[in-house]
Amino acid sequence: MIDRSMVTTAFELPGYRAERSLGVARGIIVRSRSVVGSIGASLQTIFGGNITLYTSLCERARQDAFERMLREADALGANAIIGMRYDATEIARGITEVLCYGTAVQAIRG
């Protein structure tokens, strides 16, 4: 598996050079809110502030998409990912797609 320190949002990795680009690696996850979670989050909105139920749902979705991207890049033979980004789209009410993507590369020191 690719070491997390070898993933960057920049287009270069300090101390390394991309010897070979292996294409785009992506991880995608589609999540929906549960009825219980939606009710709990609605109650939290009454009091204002951070809606922790949605925060944890979003964080889990991003983490899952990130892990899937790492597995795909690893399968391509990469040891690093540059230009990593997240994107999210609401597919339907309460259903969100989270995409994590970047360029899978073979990076060498130097």
Side-chain angles (χ1 to χ4, degrees):
M1 185 69 88
I2 296 173
D3 186 311
R4 285 168 168 63
S5 67
M6 297 294 284
V7 179
T8 182
T9 58
F11 294 107
E12 59 184 40
L13 196 58
Y16 292 84
R17 69 177 175 84
E19 181 177 63
R20 185 170 172 221
S21 176
L22 302 168
V24 174
R26 63 182 177 78
I28 187 170
I29 186 94
V30 177
R31 288 279 165 95
S32 67
R33 298 183 305 257
S34 69
V35 172
V36 174
S38 293
I39 292 170
S42 294
L43 290 173
Q44 283 186 324
T45 62
I46 293 170
F47 301 104
N50 185 20
I51 304 171
T52 58
L53 292 169
Y54 287 154
T55 300
S56 63
L57 176 69
C58 291
E59 188 56 42
R60 267 194 325 271
R62 283 181 179 228
Q63 187 62 37
D64 289 347
F66 183 83
E67 295 294 332
R68 288 178 183 211
M69 178 195 62
L70 290 180
R71 284 194 300 271
E72 183 170 305
D74 189 55
L76 291 170
N79 68 341
I81 298 172
I82 58 174
M84 193 275 302
R85 301 285 188 268
Y86 286 105
D87 192 18
T89 304
E90 187 173 41
I91 295 172
R93 185 175 168 93
I95 301 173
T96 303
E97 164 213 33
V98 176
L99 173 65
C100 184
Y101 62 95
T103 303
V105 298
Q106 289 178 338
I108 59 172
R109 283 211 178 268

